[in-house]
C-alpha cells in the first residue's frame, strides 16, 4: 500500500478547475502590442521618422518609470503592482500612437509619465483597478494644464498639444466645414481621401484610417476586444456625420471622413475605448457606452475640439461602474424563454 | 493532434487527456485489503448502520438503510469483517463523516438480491423499490437517488440518457457504450417503462458509426440517438435539456419540472444489473489519468482507497502532489490519498509537480470579460467577482448567481489566473 504519511510532497487540496486555457494577461498584452504595430508602421510610413521617435520616446518613458517603480516597490518590500512590463508597454504604445508627430518630445514624455505614474500605477495600487483610461486621462489633464500656453506667441512650438485655431473653426456650416477639412488636402488626394487613407497630420496611430479600421476589426476578433463599443461608436458617428452633412448641405463623405476617420476617433475606437478595465461589462451597456461616446465626441468636434473623443472617453469611464449595473442578459433558466417552467 | 471542445464565443477546452483513453478497455482493480464505506454517498439523509463491529459481511450485503424517502442503502463492496466505525474525511464533502471500515478476509461470498429475469412482468413499484434497495444514485456526479427520479411525482414526456461525458479527463461512459451496450439498453427500457415516457433520447458526443453495437440496439428499440456538438458545457443536465428540447430549467427547479427526466448512461447499467441480476451498486467504471501512466479505464469497487488505485496504476508517491477526484474541471483535490471511492466519482487524476498549477499566482482582474463571454448560462462572473470582493450581496443577488452551474469555464479562460467560480467563491466567503 502507498503510505501517504511517507509522501514526500503533502497533497494540495486545490479547488477546481485544475487546468486552464493557457491564455495569460501577458499574452493578451503582447497580442495588443502586435496589433498596434500595424498602425505604428502605417503612421511612420505616412508621417516619417519623427512618428517613430514619438512612439519610442513614449514607450521608453513608460518602461523606465515601470522599472523605477518596481525597484522602489522591492526596496520598500511592497507588493509589486505590475510584475510584467507587458501592460506598461501597451500603455507606452497607446500614448505614442495618440500623439501628433509635431508634439514637442518633452510633452510626449510628460503625457507618458503622467499616464504611467498617476493614471496607471496610482489607480492600480490605490484603487485596485483603472477606472479611467490612463492615456486619455493623461492627455486630457495635460490638455487642460497646457492650455495656458495659448497665451504664448507661438503656442504650438512651445508645447501646445492641440491646435488653438481649431477652436475658431466653423464646423457647422457647409462652407466653414469645407474650409476646415481643406487642411487635409494634398497634391494627390482630396481632403476626404487623405483623411480616410493617408494623412500626415494628427494622431500617429490614425495616419491610415482604413488601415486602423481593418486592423481594429481583426484585433477585435483575435483578442476578443469589447467590439460592441467601437461598433456603436463608429456607426453612430457615421450616422451623425451623414445627417449633419445632409442637413447643412455639405458633402456627407467629407463629413464622415473627418468625423469618423480622424485619428482621435478611429484609433481611439479600437485601442482606447476598448480598454477593458475602464469600460462596461454587460453587452448592452457596451453599446450604450459607444453611442454616448459618439454623441459627446461629435458635439465636441462641432465645437472645434477635434480631439474631443479623449475627453468624452474619460467622462464616460467615470460612469462605468454605473453602466455595469444595467443591460444584463437574461440568465439561462430565468424567464423569458417560452419553455421555462 | 490536440483535441478540443468548442464553447461559446470561440473559446475551447483542451480535451487532450481523452486522446486514446476511449480505446482502452476497462481493467478490473482487485479489491483493496481494507474498504472504507461511507454511509453518505448520495443527496439526502444517510441510512442507519445495519451491521456492527466484528460482523462478517458478504459482498453485496446491505450495510445501512433508513426510512426517509431520499435515503438509499449502501452495500458492502467486499467480503470481510467490520473492524471499525469511524468519522473519516469524505472525498466529496471534504468533511468528516461516518464510515464503516471492512477488512477483507477469506474467500469472496456474494449476497445479491432476487433476480428478475423478466423485469417487464414486475410492477413499476417493485422496480422502483428494487432500484432503491440496490442503492442506485445518479452516477454522472450528482448522486441524486435514482428511485426518486422514477417516482412519477411529475408528469414527464421525455427521457434523456446523458452519455455526453464532456469532462476532459473522462472516457468511462464511452467504454460502457462500447463494452456494455445490451445492459445500457436494458436499463433504458426499464427506466422508460417506469416513467411511461413518449420519447427517449440518447445524447452522445460520438459521431455516427463510432459505437456500432450500441447504435444497432438503440435503433432496434426505437430510441433516438442524438449526436450532440462537442462542447464541455452542454454535458450539464440543464444545458443538455435546453440543447435537445429548447426547454429551460429554472435554477431552483429540476428537469422533471419541465417534463424531462435525465439519467446518466452509467446509471442505466447499474439499473439493469440491479433489476435483472439482483446486483447492488458496489462497483463502477472510472477513468484514471496521470502524466506518468497515461489514461486507464478501471472498474473499481466502492470504498476502495484512492491510494490503492494509484498503487494499481503503478504510481509512486514522488510521482504526484495533487489528486483530483471526478472531473478535472469540477472535482476537488483531496488532501489525503487514503480517502475512498464513493458512488459519484467517475474519475481520478494524479497530477505531478511537473503538471501546471495554473491558478497558483493570480493577478488582479483586468476586466477582459472573457469569463462573461464563455459563461454558458449568461451570468456575469466578472461582476460577481467584484461584488463578492466588495461584499455587495444585493448586487450578487441581482446578478443571478443561483443560475451558475459551477462548470468552472470562467476560471478556465481567465488570463489573470483567477479561480472565478462565483458559487464556490461566495460559499467560501
Ligand atoms: S476572465 Fe478573469 S481577468 Fe477577465 S474579466 Fe473575468 S475574472 Fe477578470
Ligand atoms: S462556473 Fe458559473 S459563472 Fe462560471 S462559467 Fe460556469 S456557470 Fe458561468
Amino acid at each position: 500500500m502507498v503510505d501517504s504519511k511517507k509522501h514526500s510532497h503533502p497533497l494540495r487540496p486545490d479547488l477546481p478547475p485544475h487546468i486552464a486555457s493557457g491564455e495569460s494577461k501577458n499574452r493578451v498584452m503582447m497580442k495588443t502590442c502586435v496589433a498596434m504595430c500595424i498602425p505604428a508602421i502605417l503612421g511612420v510610413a505616412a508621417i516619417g521618422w519623427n512618428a517613430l521617435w514619438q512612439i519610442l520616446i513614449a514607450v521608453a518613458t513608460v518602461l523606465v518609470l515601470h522599472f523605477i517603480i518596481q525597484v522602489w516597490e522591492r526596496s520598500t518590500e511592497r507588493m509589486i503592482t505590475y510584475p510584467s512590463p507587458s501592460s506598461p508597454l501597451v500603455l507606452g504604445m497607446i500614448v505614442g500612437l495618440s500623439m501628433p508627430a509635431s508634439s514637442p518630445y518633452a510633452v510626449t514624455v510628460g503625457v507618458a509619465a503622467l499616464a504611467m505614474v498617476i493614471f496607471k500605477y496610482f489607480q492600480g495600487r490605490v484603487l485596485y483597478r483603472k477606472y479611467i483610461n490612463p492615456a486619455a486621462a493623461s492627455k486630457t489633464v495635460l490638455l487642460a494644464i497646457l492650455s495656458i500656453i495659448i497665451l504664448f506667441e507661438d503656442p504650438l512650438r512651445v508645447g501646445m498639444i492641440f491646435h488653438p485655431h481649431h477652436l475658431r473653426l466653423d464646423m457647422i456650416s457647409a462652407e466653414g466645414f469645407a474650409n476646415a477639412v481643406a487642411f487635409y488636402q494634398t497634391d494627390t488626394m482630396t481632403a476626404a481621401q487623405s483623411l480616410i487613407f493617408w494623412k500626415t497630420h494628427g494622431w500617429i496611430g490614425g495616419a491610415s484610417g482604413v488601415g486602423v479600421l481593418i486592423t481594429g476589426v481583426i484585433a477585435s476578433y483575435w483578442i476578443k476586444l469589447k467590439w460592441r463599443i467601437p461598433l456603436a461608436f463608429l456607426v453612430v458617428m457615421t450616422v451623425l456625420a451623414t445627417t449633419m452633412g445632409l442637413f447643412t448641405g455639405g458633402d456627407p463623405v467629407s463629413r464622415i471622413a473627418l468625423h469618423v476617420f480622424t485619428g482621435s476617433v478611429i484609433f481611439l475606437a479600437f485601442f482606447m475605448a476598448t480598454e477593458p478595465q475602464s469600460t462596461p461589462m454587460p453587452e448592452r451597456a457596451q453599446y450604450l457606452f459607444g453611442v454616448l461616446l459618439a454623441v459627446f465626441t461629435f458635439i465636441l468636434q462641432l465645437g472645434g475640439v477635434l480631439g474631443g473623443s479623449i475627453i468624452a472617453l474619460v467622462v464616460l469611464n467615470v460612469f462605468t461602474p454605473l453602466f455595469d449595473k444595467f443591460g444584463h442578459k437574461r440568465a439561462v433558466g430565468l424567464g423569458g424563454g417560452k419553455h421555462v417552467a | 493532434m490536440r483535441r478540443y471542445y468548442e464553447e461559446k464565443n470561440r473559446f475551447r477546452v483542451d480535451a487532450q487527456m481523452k486522446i486514446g483513453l476511449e480505446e482502452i478497455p476497462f481493467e478490473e482493480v482487485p479489491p483493496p485489503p481494507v474498504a472504507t464505506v461511507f454511509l453518505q454517498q448520495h443527496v439526502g439523509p444517510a441510512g442507519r448502520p445495519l451491521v456492527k463491529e466484528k460482523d462478517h459481511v458478504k459482498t453485496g450485503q446491505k450495510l445501512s438503510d433508513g426510512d426517509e424517502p431520499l435515503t438509499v442503502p449502501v452495500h458492502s463492496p467486499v467480503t470481510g469483517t467490520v473492524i471499525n466505525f469511524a468519522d473519516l474525511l469524505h472525498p466529496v464533502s471534504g468533511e468528516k463523516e461516518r464510515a464503516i471500515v471492512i477488512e477483507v478476509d477469506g474467500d469472496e461470498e456474494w449476497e445479491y438480491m432476487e433476480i428478475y429475469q423478466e423485469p417487464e412482468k414486475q410492477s413499476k413499484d417493485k422496480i422502483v423499490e428494487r432500484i432503491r434497495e440496490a442503492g442506485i444514485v445518479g452516477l454522472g456526479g450528482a448522486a441524486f437517488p435514482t428511485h426518486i427520479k422514477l417516482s412519477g411525482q411529475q408528469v414527464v414526456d421525455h427521457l434523456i440518457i446523458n452519455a455526453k461525458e464532456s469532462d476532459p479527463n473522462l472516457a468511462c461512459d464511452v467504454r460502457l457504450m462500447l463494452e456494455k451496450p445490451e445492459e445500457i439498453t436494458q436499463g433504458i427500457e426499464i427506466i422508460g417503462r417506469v416513467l411511461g415516457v413518449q420519447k427517449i433520447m440518447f445524447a452522445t458526443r460520438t459521431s455516427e458509426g463510432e459505437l456500432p453495437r450500441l447504435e444497432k440496439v438503440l435503433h432496434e428499440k426505437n430510441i433516438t440517438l442524438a449526436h450532440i456538438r462537442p462542447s464541455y458545457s452542454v454535458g450539464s443536465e440543464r444545458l443538455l435539456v435546453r440543447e435537445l428540447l429548447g426547454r429551460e430549467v429554472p435554477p431552483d427547479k429540476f428537469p422533471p419540472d419541465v417534463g424531462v427526466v435525465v439519467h446518466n448512461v452509467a446509471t442505466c447499467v447499474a439499473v439493469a444489473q440491479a433489476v435483472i441480476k439482483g446486483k447492488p451498486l458496489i462497483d463502477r467504471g472510472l477513468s484514471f489519468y496521470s502524466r506518468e501512466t497515461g489514461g486507464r479505464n478501471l472498474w473499481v469497487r466502492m470504498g476502495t482507497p484512492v491510494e490503492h488505485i494509484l498503487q494499481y496504476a503503478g504510481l509512486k508517491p514522488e510521482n504526484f502532489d495533487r489528486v483530483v477526484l471526478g472531473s478535472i474541471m469540477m472535482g476537488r483535490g483531496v488532501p489525503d490519498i487514503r480517502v475512498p471511492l464513493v458512488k459519484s466519482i467517475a474519475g481520478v487524476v494524479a497530477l505531478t509537480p511537473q503538471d501546471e498549477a495554473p491558478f497558483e499566482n493570480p493577478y488582479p482582474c483586468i476586466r477582459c470579460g472573457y469569463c462573461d463571454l464563455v459563461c454558458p448560462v449568461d451570468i456575469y462572473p466578472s461582476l460577481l467577482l467584484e461584488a463578492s470582493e466588495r461584499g455587495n450581496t444585493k448586487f450578487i443577488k441581482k446578478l443571478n448567481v443561483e443560475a451558475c452551474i459551477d462548470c468552472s469555464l470562467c476560471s478556465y479562460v481567465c488570463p489573470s489566473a483567477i479561480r472565478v467560480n462565483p458559487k464556490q467563491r461566495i460559499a467560501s466567503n
Side-chain angles (χ1 to χ4, degrees), chain B residues 175-292:
Chain B
R175 280 320 301 173
L176 281 179
M177 292 189 266
L178 286 163
E179 295 182 28
K180 298 179 189 291
E182 288 79 17
E183 277 178 272
I184 290 172
T185 326
Q186 286 164 344
I188 297 173
E189 281 192 301
I190 293 168
I191 294 171
R193 212 170 23 249
V194 171
L195 290 171
V197 288
Q198 300 156 4
K199 181 136 182 134
I200 304 177
M201 299 176 97
F202 190 95
T204 167
R205 66 181 155 75
T206 55
S207 340
E208 207 174 328
E210 262 185 70
L211 308 164
R213 266 171 67 203
L214 180 70
E215 287 170 22
K216 187 167 170 280
V217 278
L218 290 177
H219 183 73
E220 283 164 9
K221 305 285 180 191
N222 210 10
I223 296 168
T224 310
L225 192 60
H227 295 284
I228 305 289
R229 66 195 158 96
S231 144
Y232 157 68
S233 51
V234 175
S236 131
E237 191 172 274
R238 290 165 186 275
L239 296 184
L240 186 62
V241 170
R242 189 172 76 141
E243 178 92 358
L244 286 174
L245 303 173
R247 301 182 192 177
E248 290 193 10
V249 186
D252 57 343
K253 300 243 162 74
F254 295 95
D257 294 307
V258 296
V260 190
V261 167
V262 183
H263 282 287
N264 179 265
V265 66
T267 314
C268 298
V269 173
V271 165
Q273 291 183 341
V275 175
I276 298 168
K277 296 182 180 159
K279 183 187 171 197
L281 182 57
I282 54 163
D283 51 15
R284 66 162 300 156
L286 60 81
S287 292
F288 171 82
Y289 181 86
S290 111
R291 183 196 282 263
E292 293 294 312

Side-chain angles (χ1 to χ4, degrees), chain A residues 1-5 7-26 28-29 83-84 128-129 131 220-224 226 228 276-283 320 324-335 337 339-341, chain B residues 9-11 33 242 246-251 257-258 307 311 317 320-322 324 328-338 357-360 363 366-370 372 376-380 382-383 386 390 395 398-400 408 411-415 419 421 424:
Chain A
M1 298 257 292
V2 178
D3 184 353
S4 59
K5 291 205 183 88
H7 200 281
S8 50
H9 317 277
L11 290 184
R12 289 167 23 192
D14 289 351
L15 289 170
H18 306 274
I19 51 173
S21 64
E23 191 58 286
S24 68
K25 189 179 157 187
N26 282 346
V28 174
M29 294 301 158
S84 155
Y128 305 109
R129 171 178 149 192
Y131 283 91
S220 299
Y221 182 84
W222 185 39
I223 313 170
K224 297 190 172 78
K226 292 177 178 169
R228 291 170 184 85
Q277 295 201 35
S278 53
T279 48
M281 306 305 277
E283 295 76 354
T320 287
D324 279 343
K325 297 209 172 355
F326 301 102
H328 298 166
K329 282 178 292 192
R330 179 182 69 80
V332 171
L334 283 173
H339 293 291
V340 175
Chain B
N9 288 306
R10 296 180 290 113
F11 287 99
R242 189 172 76 141
R247 301 182 192 177
E248 290 193 10
V249 186
D257 294 307
V258 296
E307 62 184 355
Q311 187 191 38
F320 56 89
D321 68 348
R322 285 162 286 161
V324 178
I328 191 96
M329 289 292 280
M330 295 170 79
R332 276 164 175 257
V334 286
D336 191 326
I337 50 172
R338 288 169 297 185
F359 300 93
E360 207 134 79
Y363 289 104
I366 55 168
R367 287 173 56 94
C368 61
Y370 287 7
D372 302 339
V377 294
D378 288 344
I379 56 175
Y380 291 89
S382 66
L383 296 178
E386 275 179 19
R390 293 193 183 133
F395 196 36
K398 192 182 170 215
L399 290 165
N400 302 316
S408 296
S411 307
Y412 182 81
V413 301
C414 178
R419 277 201 173 89
N421 294 43
Q424 229 178 66

Side-chain angles (χ1 to χ4, degrees), chain A residues 36 38 52 54 61 85 110 117 161 220 262 277 302 306 319 339:
Chain A
M36 280 193 293
I38 311 285
L52 181 64
Q54 292 287 0
T61 306
V117 178
I161 59 170
S220 299
T262 188
Q277 295 201 35
L302 289 185
L306 294 186
F319 293 98
H339 293 291

Side-chain angles (χ1 to χ4, degrees), chain B residues 371 374-381 384 401 403-411 420-423:
Chain B
C371 50
V374 81
C375 177
V377 294
D378 288 344
I379 56 175
Y380 291 89
L384 279 161
V401 67
C404 170
I405 55 169
D406 228 352
C407 66
S408 296
L409 275 173
C410 46
S411 307
V420 189
N421 294 43
K423 260 193 179 164

Side-chain angles (χ1 to χ4, degrees), chain B residues 52-97:
Chain B
K52 47 189 193 316
E53 253 177 60
K54 301 206 178 71
D55 275 1
H56 177 75
V57 291
K58 295 178 186 169
T59 305
Q61 183 180 330
K62 195 151 82 167
L63 297 178
S64 75
D65 204 351
D67 304 325
E68 306 274 348
L70 279 168
T71 302
V72 288
V74 294
H75 301 77
S76 177
V78 291
T79 300
T81 307
V82 175
I83 55 166
N84 195 7
F85 283 80
D87 290 330
L88 300 171
L89 184 74
H90 194 285
V92 177
S93 70
E95 307 286 332
K96 290 221 162 164
E97 296 196 20

Side-chain angles (χ1 to χ4, degrees), chain A residues 112-186:
Chain A
L114 198 60
M116 177 64 197
V117 178
I118 303 294
F119 294 108
K120 186 171 178 71
Y121 174 76
F122 181 80
Q123 283 195 91
R125 174 109 216 163
V126 179
L127 307 176
Y128 305 109
R129 171 178 149 192
K130 281 180 281 171
Y131 283 91
I132 47 179
N133 184 300
S138 170
K139 277 193 80 173
T140 307
V141 167
L142 273 185
L143 193 84
I145 294 172
L146 296 180
S147 293
I148 194 89
I149 298 175
I150 207 163
L151 304 173
F152 287 64
E153 202 170 307
D154 185 357
L156 282 174
R157 216 171 52 80
V158 195
M160 193 85 213
I161 59 170
F162 66 94
H163 289 253
H165 71 274
H166 286 171
L167 293 173
R168 294 189 294 274
L169 291 175
D170 169 12
M171 295 290 287
I172 296 176
S173 74
E175 301 79 47
F177 183 79
N179 288 338
V181 292
F183 171 75
Y184 287 96
Q185 196 169 330
T186 68

